[in-house]
Amino acid sequence: MKLRTQLLTGIAILGAAMASAQADVVFTFTQSGGNVVMQSSGVLNTANLVAGTAFGWGGTGVETNGGGQSDIMGDTSMGGIDRGFGFNTGTNYAPWIGNMFMSSNFAWSSSGTTQFTTYQMPGGFRTPGIGISAADMVGALWTPDVSWSKAGTLAGLGLTMGTYTITDIQTQESITIQIGESTRIPEPASIGLLGLGLAGLALARRRRQA
């Protein structure tokens, strides 16, 4: 009975930690032989973002935009978008504005079960954000599993190598588009959240023993 109680307590603590902790999502483009591959990873805590609007998207690929608007990407091959989230006012949008995508490029081969877009559109102006499906969420958490592939090279497909991260000014929630290999090794968000939960479980056990 004690073990069961401790286990339930740990699960509750883990759930609370996951609901409140900062997390992040990374979309990584790499060269693999004669193909460019995009893989998604991480966990996004939408509770740390600002509720917005779900804007449409067609197909799978990236889009370049001028006039100070954000470059964007998305995939609706698995279904539609019905939830939208943006960043708090004052967040630096500069990393996604400019030369991240030098050309619009669609018709990527896609696999996975999640769908997404990486923008909001206040006043018809594209800014960084995220559009997702409520069916893919667990509470406030969203974990993408989509991957892409297309013949060509990073440069040939208009992808400029670099790390492009939008970090919320208030909560530090972030979305990264990584083009080429990264020189940093970030801690996977899911491992960090699990660590918080396990630490809470250990604390609960110590308190019970005391």
Side-chain angles (χ1 to χ4, degrees), residues 27-32 34-39 57-64 72-78 100-112 116 146-160 177-180:
F27 300 101
T28 303
F29 291 85
T30 55
Q31 191 74 44
S32 178
N35 296 314
V36 173
V37 175
M38 189 285 290
Q39 294 180 307
W57 183 266
T60 303
V62 306
E63 177 183 298
T64 183
I72 61 180
M73 59 184 286
D75 186 346
T76 54
S77 60
M78 303 299 169
M100 181 169 63
F101 303 143
M102 298 298 290
S103 61
S104 297
N105 202 301
F106 291 89
W108 293 68
S109 174
S110 175
S111 64
F116 72 96
V146 66
S147 61
W148 299 352
S149 179
K150 189 168 187 177
T153 64
L154 293 170
L157 295 178
L159 309 176
T160 304
I177 297 175
Q178 176 67 43
I179 302 176

Side-chain angles (χ1 to χ4, degrees), residues 62-130:
V62 306
E63 177 183 298
T64 183
N65 291 293
Q69 297 190 81
S70 174
D71 285 352
I72 61 180
M73 59 184 286
D75 186 346
T76 54
S77 60
M78 303 299 169
I81 304 298
D82 58 14
R83 293 289 186 276
F85 301 90
F87 294 91
N88 280 288
T89 302
T91 297
N92 179 19
Y93 293 160
W96 288 8
I97 299 172
N99 65 350
M100 181 169 63
F101 303 143
M102 298 298 290
S103 61
S104 297
N105 202 301
F106 291 89
W108 293 68
S109 174
S110 175
S111 64
T113 63
T114 54
Q115 50 270 356
F116 72 96
T117 58
T118 62
Y119 74 103
Q120 287 288 280
M121 207 167 176
F125 194 85
R126 295 171 181 82
T127 63
I130 193 78

